[in-house]
Amino acid sequence: SSESVAPRSPPLPGERRARSPRGMAKVDFNAVDPSQKVWVGNLNKEASAEDLRAHFSQLGTPTGAQVLRKGVAVVAYATADEAAAAIQAFNGSEIGGQKIETDVWASKKREKPEKPAKEPGEEQPPKVTKTYRISKMPQGTTEEQVRAAFASVGEIEAVTVKTLTDGEVVCTLKFASPTEETRTSMLSGDHEVNGAKVTVQTHQMIKVERTGSNAKKKPSKSSGGGKGGQDM
């Protein structure tokens, strides 16, 4: 006849217990339902996964425990009821002489959702440009004239015409519901406003243009004293 073994008494909070020879089955926490996981915060920096398992084994049977980062951990249970009971029972309890916080996993998880995987052969939709800058417009050009010139391209949401310090008249044009066709039409076509041919650019195009211009204007370091050499 087999000898019966007396059940081991539960460990005290914070008490380290030697790892069982058989250990605990490795848990894929990403596959565990959030309702079966307990968020643990304010954890002693010296606490280990073994400490968590020992502590939370006082109520129910944890299926796994893991220290995620400094002061934060997760404990998994076989059922949602056990996890809920552990959250209520262990909030404010101590591990290693430090009071811990417990909460439902879903309310504490702050990971950004992963982008859906791209299907083989599927193309990602291109970014749609809503705002364009129109330059080289004649003096006296009005918002109404700009709207009339680009009305056939798409529904216009806003138009702002202004005169720069050097006297050039420019405009910011924003479409309400642009498409890729809108971008193609704006950038590839020859457009006229108030009787003059104008230049249409996106803000990204202007940024690239300015970056290149600034690089060209950057003075080179002179090795000699006094004034640098000048082109003759």
Side-chain angles (χ1 to χ4, degrees):
S1 61
S2 60
E3 229 180 80
S4 60
V5 180
R8 183 167 50 180
S9 59
L12 296 174
E15 178 186 358
R16 289 181 179 271
R17 185 169 63 187
R19 182 184 294 273
S20 169
R22 294 183 180 181
M24 181 178 287
K26 190 174 181 180
V27 177
D28 180 2
F29 287 93
N30 290 324
V32 178
D33 189 276
S35 65
Q36 295 170 226
K37 292 190 284 189
V38 178
W39 176 89
V40 183
N42 198 39
L43 187 67
N44 189 310
K45 64 180 181 179
E46 300 296 332
S48 66
E50 278 296 319
D51 294 325
L52 285 165
R53 281 192 284 264
H55 187 71
F56 282 83
S57 290
Q58 297 176 91
L59 180 65
T61 305
T63 58
Q66 186 179 52
V67 178
L68 303 178
R69 58 182 185 273
K70 185 178 179 181
V72 178
V74 59
V75 177
Y77 279 91
T79 67
D81 289 340
E82 282 186 315
I87 291 170
Q88 186 173 2
F90 292 117
N91 190 37
S93 62
E94 292 187 4
I95 294 181
Q98 185 165 307
K99 288 186 177 182
I100 62 170
E101 300 172 8
T102 57
D103 202 348
V104 293
W105 178 257
S107 69
K108 290 295 183 181
K109 193 174 181 184
R110 293 291 182 267
E111 296 177 6
K112 294 182 179 180
E114 294 183 359
K115 294 181 179 180
K118 183 179 178 182
E119 295 294 331
E122 179 187 2
E123 293 185 0
Q124 294 290 350
K127 292 183 178 180
V128 178
T129 305
K130 295 189 69 174
T131 307
Y132 296 85
R133 184 177 186 268
I134 304 167
S135 57
K136 298 183 180 180
M137 297 194 303
Q139 293 287 339
T141 299
T142 64
E143 293 183 7
E144 288 71 21
Q145 289 173 321
V146 176
R147 286 180 179 274
F150 294 95
S152 61
V153 178
E155 182 183 352
I156 298 173
E157 181 178 313
V159 175
T160 304
V161 177
K162 62 181 179 180
T163 303
L164 303 180
T165 54
D166 60 1
E168 182 184 5
V169 180
V170 297
C171 166
T172 300
L173 175 65
K174 183 177 181 181
F175 288 97
S177 303
T179 62
E180 185 59 23
E181 287 72 22
T182 306
R183 178 187 173 90
T184 301
S185 177
M186 288 295 291
L187 299 180
S188 63
D190 292 332
H191 302 286
E192 287 191 4
V193 177
N194 193 16
K197 186 177 179 180
V198 297
T199 299
V200 179
Q201 295 174 293
T202 64
H203 288 287
Q204 182 61 30
M205 292 167 64
I206 297 171
K207 183 178 179 180
V208 172
E209 186 179 89
R210 287 176 178 172
T211 301
S213 177
N214 290 336
K216 291 179 181 179
K217 291 179 181 179
K218 188 176 180 180
S220 59
K221 292 183 179 180
S222 175
S223 57
K227 294 184 180 180
Q230 297 180 353
D231 293 333
M232 300 302 289

